[in-house]
Amino acid sequence: MPGAREAHEEREEGAAATGWVWTAAWPVTAVFVLSNAATPLYVRWQREIGFSKGTLTVIFACYIVGLLGSLLVSGVVSDRVGRKPVLLPALGLAMAACAIFASASAVAALIVARLFSGIAVGAVVSAGMAAVTDVAGPGRRRLAALLASCAMVFGAGLGPLLAGVLGKGVFVLEAVLLAAAVLVVARMPVRRPVAPAKGAWVRIPGVPQGSGGQLLMGIAVFAPGITATSFVLSLGPSLLSGLLDTTSPVAAGAMAFVMFLTATGAQFAVQRLDRRTILIAGAVSTTIGMGALIAAVRASSVPLLVAAALLAGAGQGMGQLGGLSLLNSTVPASRLAEANAALNVGGYVPAGVLPVTAGYLSDAVGLTTGATVFGAVLMALALVGGLVVLVGPPSSRRK
């Protein structure tokens, strides 16, 4: 009976898709392990090679430069030629970054490795996250947004923890994780685009007409959140070394891990709320977190610094989940990778510029004053983001 056979095939296809939604998120996790694996090692490299806090934030920002450059291309290319042709070269570039990090003995090597890491991450946040949605299918788009977003922040937190324990050995382990991701991508059940979008191959990514309001709301909250976590990643080890009088990579790695673990947990905790509530909660969390950061550096308080990191993580996680969910609900699959790229461009531009500015300001006027100014600016941006969501389109209220 053809009808019975078709129904059986649909059930089998659904069962396979359910398992693959989780598996398809693995390449996102693997690449994001690399994205922050170097964080606990910066203090050690700073001591061994010799460079300033400003140079440290420049090294960190090279990752942002690579990522933004990648986002100008990877989303559009992925929507036109498919997810795999973008993801496989990105994973190869990530493996090259592992080799450079493992043998780095100069600032130039760190810059190149961070640049390669950024390019790989740019491909993953556009094509990789879109692949998770493709595998999930139209009926599981909210689940896809949750898993893709959690895969990103969990990997971002796992990398520093592993680096704190293993030192440079983390890059050997990461190469193995990336090799496993290559196998996942090679077998991933995603189809090539049927009707590719038209226009320039290299362009500032955007969204279809009618989705601009959702993109703006996502960026308004995601950008301050990820900028806050970027500051903790770039200058958090220096703050800890000053407050605890230690350069232990385990302490820095542990703080980054709990920050992103909080980001993961926060997303699961709020997943059933409407999107606007999630975004407002993210803006509030970032605002309070930056208040805690200012208090921490002025009172030389480690508990307040950890609290600031946890609140920053929650702010990024909820802003990211809310933004991805809004895009998944309004943008067709043929433009989804580009839309994901647009959200991340909006988030990573301030995440690259503001921590670098804070780093050089800290070199000039001291870490306490630099961190205070940074925290105050970001508090204002988070408050503005919350207001943008409050006056945003009513459609964002739907789950």
Side-chain angles (χ1 to χ4, degrees):
M1 295 176 61
R5 184 171 65 250
E6 289 171 3
H8 175 72
E9 288 174 353
E10 287 176 2
R11 285 194 300 271
E12 289 295 315
E13 200 172 275
T18 300
W20 264 108
V21 178
W22 292 81
T23 307
W26 172 248
V28 178
T29 298
V31 171
F32 269 92
V33 168
L34 174 65
S35 69
N36 294 328
T39 297
L41 304 176
Y42 284 139
V43 173
R44 179 184 298 176
W45 278 318
Q46 198 171 11
R47 184 178 65 250
E48 293 175 353
I49 300 173
F51 50 84
S52 68
K53 295 184 185 70
T55 301
L56 175 59
T57 53
V58 168
I59 293 170
F60 182 83
C62 285
Y63 162 82
I64 306 292
V65 171
L67 187 150
L68 292 175
S70 177
L71 289 174
L72 297 179
V73 181
S74 58
V76 175
V77 172
S78 173
D79 286 336
R80 292 187 179 186
V81 304
R83 313 307 184 201
K84 294 182 182 182
V86 173
L87 290 174
L88 290 174
L91 290 170
L93 204 59
M95 289 182 179
C98 286
I100 298 171
F101 270 132
S103 58
S105 59
V107 170
L110 296 177
I111 287 175
V112 171
R114 287 295 284 171
L115 189 66
F116 283 4
S117 301
I119 295 171
V121 168
V124 164
V125 296
S126 53
M129 289 184 166
V132 178
T133 302
D134 290 349
V135 171
R140 296 187 179 93
R141 285 199 159 203
R142 194 174 179 91
L143 173 63
L146 175 65
L147 292 183
S149 185
C150 286
M152 172 180 167
V153 293
F154 180 72
L158 186 60
L161 180 66
L162 293 174
V165 175
L166 300 176
K168 287 188 178 183
V170 68
F171 299 113
V172 177
L173 175 60
E174 168 62 359
V176 175
L177 300 181
L178 290 168
V182 169
L183 296 177
V184 169
V185 171
R187 294 175 55 84
M188 192 180 292
V190 289
R191 297 185 177 92
R192 293 178 66 88
V194 177
K198 298 179 180 180
W201 285 79
V202 179
R203 64 177 186 239
I204 297 175
V207 293
Q209 187 174 3
S211 299
Q214 285 78 8
L215 175 63
L216 177 61
M217 289 169 62
I219 290 174
V221 179
F222 175 53
I226 197 169
T227 303
T229 57
S230 295
F231 177 81
V232 174
L233 288 170
S234 59
L235 289 180
S238 297
L239 284 169
L240 273 180
S241 66
L243 295 176
L244 295 178
D245 193 25
T246 177
T247 58
S248 169
V250 177
M255 186 172 72
F257 177 70
V258 296
M259 178 173 71
F260 286 112
L261 189 63
T262 302
T264 304
Q267 291 179 76
F268 276 100
V270 303
Q271 61 172 309
R272 297 187 182 279
L273 300 178
D274 65 84
R275 300 180 184 102
R276 178 172 295 195
T277 301
I278 293 172
L279 287 170
I280 291 174
V284 170
S285 183
T286 301
T287 302
I288 299 173
M290 291 304 94
L293 174 67
I294 294 171
V297 296
R298 302 199 74 83
S300 298
S301 170
V302 173
L304 281 174
L305 179 60
V306 173
L310 297 180
L311 288 164
Q316 178 191 331
M318 289 186 282
Q320 184 174 294
L321 175 62
L324 285 173
S325 296
L326 283 175
L327 295 179
N328 274 7
S329 68
T330 59
V331 177
S334 61
R335 294 287 301 279
L336 188 56
E338 183 183 354
N340 289 345
L343 175 66
N344 281 279
V345 166
Y348 277 104
V349 166
V353 173
L354 291 180
V356 169
T357 304
Y360 277 105
L361 182 62
S362 296
D363 282 337
V365 300
L367 193 54
T368 298
T369 302
T372 299
V373 173
F374 173 86
V377 170
L378 214 53
M379 282 181 71
L381 291 177
L383 286 171
V384 171
L387 292 175
V388 169
V389 174
L390 284 173
V391 301
S395 60
S396 63
R397 293 184 183 276
R398 292 197 297 267
K399 292 186 177 181

